[in-house]
Amino acid sequence: MLRESVRALAEAKIVPFAAAVDEEGRFPQEALDALVANDLHAVHVPETYGGAGADALATVIVIEEVARACGSSSLIPAVNKLGSLPVILSGSEELKHKYLGPLAKGDAMFSYALSEPDAGSDAAGMKTRAVRDGDFWVLNGVKRWITNAGVSEYYTVMAVTDPDKRSKGISAFVVEKSDEGVSFGAPEKKLGIKGSPTREVYLDNVRIPADRMIGAEGTGFATAMKTLDHTRITIAAQAIGIAQGALDYAKGYVTERKQFGKPIADFQGVQFMLADMAMKLEAARQLTYAAAAKSERVDGDLTFFGAAAKCFASDVAMEVTTDAVQLLGGYGYTRDYPVERMMRDAKITQIYEGTNQVQRIVMARNLP
Ligand SMILES: Cc1cc2nc3c(=O)[nH]c(=O)nc-3n(C[C@H](O)[C@H](O)[C@H](O)COP(=O)(O)OP(=O)(O)OC[C@H]3O[C@@H](n4cnc5c(N)ncnc54)[C@H](O)[C@@H]3O)c2cc1C
């Protein structure tokens, strides 16, 4: 029922704008409005804090169905989870009440600020500093590639509080867009997910109360990694959603398009491609759902499954979307059809929340 209702909403309110959002590189406000109106913008927030209280699998299904319509729009529910999960996992009750309520209501979005210009895969090599000053922390630095930066009200920011301790000297904070000293870079000009703003976040002597720290001092990096164990599964969901959108479109096209006097769907070469696409996609979906169940139970092998789901599903999404372009021939290569957008959107799922090389490192270190 959840899938059917999100799909119907996405078809009616998100699909009609998806091409324009991509073409114009603009934030999908229509999608945000529709998701908020239907309480689907941050479904993971527990009921105690005013949220819908969806479990990890239900959250995956919401993201998957939004991504099937528009990859950029799926980053609204996905990044709201990514940004706020550090607070949910490690924050004080006060922080949870203060920040999760407005998120659940749709009054504020939440971003996640870990990466920096010189600290991507090696996130622990970050330079952003937080220095204690009485009852305050003062933050200085540059965060890069921050999804929904400028649109979000709240940011989980990881910063170095003790430079001698590397990853154990990193702490997490909630920073608000309106805090003095917060500003944003120009939107990045990207290959895909063009409707999702990606910007630098500048922290220039940002003075925040000490109770904005998430968890204890020095636990920020551990919280950041624990968060990714859960949210990589939402990127897997985004990947399978985008791939499903491309497969569904290609499936319809091959029955309409005629060459050699018959629909191209009659050719076994085309049928075999579709069979492979559907087979790989379903394998990715099942791995993602298994990982979501592990996320919900916080199983001991979650780290492996989170990395495996994200890595496998994103590689499958890249293959399936590329094959969908192939099945539409020259038409697939143009913006008159949605599959080239889906192929461009799929690419990012192999890069963010840790590249697929990094996922393989994580899997190798956590073999089940
Ligand atoms: C559109 C977009 C949105 C993003 N959103 C966010 C966000 O909201 N918040 C956030 O914090 N970050 C975000 N990121 C950052 C993203 O997570 C990083 O780009 C990613 O982790 C890779 O870091 P990097 O770009 O510095 O690449 P690098 O780390 O420089 O990697 C370059 C290449 O080297 C490879 N490599 C690096 N180290 C190893 C190794 N040890 N072994 C094998 N190969 C290796 C990588 O796999 C990659 O192929 C976003 C990025 C993009 C492009």
Side-chain angles (χ1 to χ4, degrees):
M1 279 173 64
L2 176 67
R3 183 187 300 283
E4 275 171 19
S5 66
V6 183
R7 184 168 294 193
L9 180 80
E11 298 266 355
K13 307 272 182 174
I14 298 177
V15 169
F17 302 99
V21 158
D22 172 68
E23 194 72 36
E24 296 158 22
R26 67 170 177 84
F27 182 73
Q29 188 62 43
E30 299 88 347
L32 177 63
D33 293 344
L35 292 171
V36 169
N38 291 276
D39 209 6
L40 292 167
H41 57 290
V43 286
H44 68 285
V45 177
E47 285 170 354
T48 333
Y49 308 105
D55 67 18
L57 181 57
T59 305
V60 155
I61 289 169
V62 170
I63 293 166
E64 190 187 334
E65 287 302 324
V66 176
R68 182 177 168 274
C70 171
S72 295
S73 300
S74 68
L75 284 163
I76 294 169
V79 173
N80 275 339
K81 179 164 180 176
L82 174 66
S84 63
L85 200 60
V87 173
I88 294 173
L89 291 174
S90 309
S92 64
E93 276 308 306
E94 290 73 27
L95 276 189
K96 288 182 191 176
H97 281 287
K98 180 164 180 202
Y99 291 108
L100 299 178
L103 172 66
K105 268 201 232 139
D107 293 342
M109 300 210 320
F110 227 124
S111 287
Y112 178 88
L114 176 68
S115 306
E116 297 186 359
D118 294 322
S121 300
D122 182 15
M126 68 177 63
K127 303 268 184 325
T128 296
R129 275 288 264 141
V131 176
R132 181 108 197 194
D133 180 16
D135 286 342
F136 294 85
W137 285 93
V138 180
L139 276 64
N140 277 289
V142 178
K143 291 293 174 182
R144 186 158 195 151
W145 311 116
I146 307 310
T147 299
N148 293 340
V151 184
S152 290
E153 286 299 320
Y154 306 143
Y155 299 80
T156 288
V157 173
M158 269 54 73
V160 176
T161 44
D162 185 343
D164 296 333
K165 292 193 181 152
R166 212 174 131 88
S167 68
K168 294 205 167 61
I170 291 171
S171 304
F173 301 88
V174 180
V175 171
E176 300 182 16
K177 179 175 156 179
S178 55
D179 287 332
E180 213 179 313
V182 174
S183 60
F184 303 98
E188 303 291 346
K189 296 175 186 146
K190 307 192 297 290
L191 174 72
I193 55 158
K194 292 185 183 214
S196 169
T198 313
R199 301 170 69 176
E200 286 190 325
V201 177
Y202 305 121
L203 304 159
D204 182 14
N205 281 322
V206 178
R207 203 176 154 79
I208 56 171
D211 61 10
R212 294 250 210 107
M213 184 182 273
I214 304 170
E217 191 176 335
T219 62
F221 194 74
T223 297
M225 294 302 112
K226 220 187 289 173
T227 297
L228 295 177
D229 282 346
H230 295 275
T231 57
R232 281 173 178 151
I233 300 160
T234 68
I235 300 304
Q238 182 187 35
I240 57 182
I242 294 170
Q244 188 68 57
L247 176 58
D248 288 348
Y249 197 88
K251 242 165 53 188
Y253 185 87
V254 297
T255 59
E256 305 279 323
R257 174 69 174 169
K258 288 198 176 105
Q259 289 293 280
F260 303 98
K262 49 179 155 176
I264 57 171
D266 285 359
F267 299 118
Q268 200 175 47
V270 166
Q271 293 168 7
F272 280 7
M273 279 181 74
L274 286 160
D276 276 345
M277 290 157 79
M279 172 181 69
K280 289 175 190 166
L281 181 49
E282 197 52 42
R285 178 175 287 117
Q286 295 305 325
L287 178 58
T288 302
Y289 291 0
K294 286 176 185 294
S295 160
E296 193 57 32
R297 296 189 300 257
V298 200
D299 283 355
D301 51 4
L302 169 62
T303 301
F304 174 86
F305 271 81
K310 188 272 195 195
C311 186
F312 189 73
S314 60
D315 284 351
V316 163
M318 202 62 239
E319 277 182 63
V320 168
T321 54
T322 306
D323 284 349
V325 170
Q326 189 71 17
L327 284 171
L328 268 71
Y331 297 98
Y333 199 64
T334 71
R335 292 200 190 162
D336 298 333
Y337 294 85
V339 289
E340 66 84 36
R341 164 171 56 84
M342 292 163 175
M343 178 177 155
R344 287 184 287 104
D345 285 354
K347 182 65 203 171
I348 191 60
T349 62
Q350 295 180 306
I351 296 173
Y352 58 17
E353 296 210 20
T355 65
N356 281 3
Q357 285 81 9
V358 167
Q359 304 309 317
R360 288 176 168 94
I361 297 171
V362 172
M363 282 187 272
R365 285 181 185 159
N366 294 277
L367 291 174

